[in-house]
């Protein structure tokens, strides 16, 4: 998500295939904590994690983009299957 002074963040960021639970999501440059939720994933295929976009005042575009930090429960565990049948 590229953020500049004229383009305030308005959306969510989706993360797919992550089996771990997200403990905390924040803006790397400012430390602002962001909301997050998971939808779907009732079986062995994990759901989609939706990370909230930072408020305009919490974004840290730096030179190019705002970076989101996702703290997980344990080491990243990615789903490598083919999807639902």
């Amino acid at each position: 998500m590229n953020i500049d002074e004229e383009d305030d963040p308005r959306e969510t960021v989706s993360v797919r295939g992550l089996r771990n639970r997200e403990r905390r999501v924040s803006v790397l440059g400012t430390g602002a904590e962001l909301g997050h939720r998971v939808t779907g994933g009732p079986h062995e295929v994990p759901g989609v994690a939706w990370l909230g976009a930072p408020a305009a005042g919490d974004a840290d575009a730096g030179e190019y983009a705002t970076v989101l930090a996702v703290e997980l429960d344990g080491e990243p565990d990615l789903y490598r299957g083919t999807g639902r049948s």
Side-chain angles (χ1 to χ4, degrees):
M1 170 180 348
N2 191 1
I3 301 169
D4 63 31
E5 294 172 350
E6 297 179 17
D7 188 20
D8 293 337
R10 295 180 292 275
E11 300 178 21
T12 58
V13 175
S14 65
V15 178
R16 297 171 187 266
L18 189 59
R19 290 182 175 186
N20 301 70
R21 185 177 74 83
E22 298 82 20
R23 293 176 46 188
R24 182 173 187 263
V25 178
S26 61
V27 177
L28 189 61
T30 66
E33 194 158 341
L34 304 175
H36 59 288
R37 63 187 171 86
V38 175
T39 58
H43 304 289
E44 69 281 351
V45 178
V48 177
W50 296 96
L51 315 179
D58 293 331
D60 175 32
E63 189 173 347
Y64 298 107
T66 294
V67 176
L68 303 182
V70 180
E71 296 175 27
L72 303 173
D73 248 356
E75 293 293 317
D77 181 12
L78 301 176
Y79 177 74
R80 298 185 190 281
T82 58
R84 292 185 174 94
S85 49

